[in-house]
Amino acid sequence: MDLITGLLMVAPLLVVIVGVMGAPLLQAVSLSLTDKRIGLPGTFVGWGNYGRLVHDPLFWLAVRNSFLYAFGAVALKLLAGFGLALVLNEELPWRGLWRAIILIPWAVPELVAALTWRWMYSDTNGIINALLLRAGLIEFPVPWLGSPQTALAAVVLINVWKGVPFFTFSLLGGLQVIDAELYEAAAIDGAGWASQVRHIVLPALAPVMVIASLLSTIWTFNDFTTIFVTTGGGPAYATTTVPILTYEKAFWNLELGYAVATSLAAAPVFIGLIVLATRLFAGRER
């Protein structure tokens, strides 16, 4: 009886989820099996689009850039967020003000952040080149977003700036639930600050770090606005990621079926990360 009652209570939600997510997903899968072009009818090609992907060097370049972008940015956000969380957990003057300031990048809309950083990176009137020139660190303006050698690192830095607050406050919340008696006992045993961080803080924050990293990886891998607004995937495809390539195939080449297949090809990665994050959440609840 309890099982039936529970199923009846969640039935409306399941209907909404299937209608809002399930039906479009099935339609996308169906579309990826055709040669549909925008404005023209499509015909069934089976796994033809996925076969093209396997032999498409641009797709594998986009996959490489996506992994470099996602995992590079997440690693830096985790390190910076951990350091800031340790600092903000101390008794600082105006600690509330510092916490509010650190939260600002997270609150800034992605479009505004991307446009601001595009101006800052400009090699004609950008503030970054102006400061470096004034400090004598460079002789000529650097085209940060216009060079294949620096473009990917430049957009990674934008994502790091935007995402560090998420890690900072996630880890700060974890720090504040650590029992103060653990620190006192460690200090009595002669453990220094570094030893306390290694043996108390890191084990306590490990679940939060893993879950925050998984969530951030999913968000960063799917990031479209930052790269599209700043570089558009260039120069020379140096910052073309899977979302950018999907957009190009759909709206520049008008190959809608191939574009959907490009997007769905990354689905196993997301499914694996989501399943892992769900299990970790469930483990923490227990």
Side-chain angles (χ1 to χ4, degrees):
M1 189 64 183
D2 292 339
L3 177 60
I4 296 176
T5 302
L7 291 175
L8 289 174
M9 294 185 69
V10 301
L13 179 59
L14 291 176
V15 171
V16 172
I17 292 176
V18 171
V20 174
M21 301 179 62
L25 178 60
L26 292 176
Q27 184 180 11
V29 172
S30 175
L31 195 60
S32 73
L33 302 177
T34 69
D35 61 354
K36 169 69 176 176
R37 297 178 65 89
I38 295 179
L40 296 174
T43 58
F44 182 77
V45 295
W47 300 102
N49 288 327
Y50 295 95
R52 281 183 59 189
L53 284 176
V54 173
H55 299 94
D56 187 351
L58 185 56
F59 169 72
W60 292 111
L61 176 61
V63 171
R64 169 187 171 273
N65 289 340
S66 293
F67 277 97
L68 289 175
Y69 179 69
F71 291 109
V74 170
L76 292 174
K77 286 185 282 190
L78 176 60
L79 290 174
F82 180 62
L84 288 172
L86 290 176
V87 173
L88 294 177
N89 194 48
E90 301 295 327
E91 294 294 336
L92 300 174
W94 303 299
R95 185 171 62 176
L97 176 62
W98 294 120
R99 291 180 178 180
I101 291 174
I102 296 234
L103 190 60
I104 290 176
W106 180 259
V108 174
E110 283 190 57
L111 179 60
V112 175
L115 289 172
T116 302
W117 277 90
R118 189 175 70 177
W119 164 74
M120 292 172 62
Y121 277 133
S122 173
D123 55 350
T124 56
N125 59 356
I127 189 173
I128 294 177
N129 277 312
L131 293 175
L132 293 176
L133 287 169
R134 182 169 298 182
L137 298 178
I138 58 175
E139 296 182 2
F140 303 98
V142 178
W144 300 105
L145 298 175
S147 170
Q149 287 72 39
T150 59
L152 186 59
V155 293
V156 165
L157 181 59
I158 300 174
N159 186 274
V160 170
W161 175 83
K162 189 83 172 62
V164 161
F166 169 72
F167 279 88
T168 300
F169 287 94
S170 296
L171 298 176
L172 182 60
L175 284 172
Q176 293 181 339
V177 299
I178 298 177
D179 193 343
E181 293 182 357
L182 295 175
Y183 296 113
E184 296 173 0
I188 292 173
D189 290 338
W193 179 83
S195 182
Q196 292 180 19
V197 170
R198 178 182 177 185
H199 296 288
I200 298 176
V201 175
L202 287 178
L205 293 185
V208 180
M209 287 181 171
V210 172
I211 292 173
S213 297
L214 286 172
L215 292 174
S216 183
T217 299
I218 295 171
W219 298 335
T220 307
F221 200 98
N222 281 307
D223 184 22
F224 174 83
T225 304
T226 299
I227 296 177
F228 183 76
V229 172
T230 54
T231 66
Y237 298 105
T239 59
T240 296
T241 57
V242 172
I244 296 293
L245 182 62
T246 300
Y247 176 87
E248 291 180 359
K249 294 297 182 182
F251 298 104
W252 292 3
N253 298 351
L254 305 181
E255 297 179 292
L256 190 57
Y258 189 57
V260 175
T262 302
S263 178
L264 290 178
V269 177
F270 301 136
I271 293 173
L273 291 174
I274 291 170
V275 169
L276 184 56
T278 302
R279 290 185 176 180
L280 288 171
F281 272 121
R284 291 198 68 196
E285 290 295 328
R286 290 195 297 267

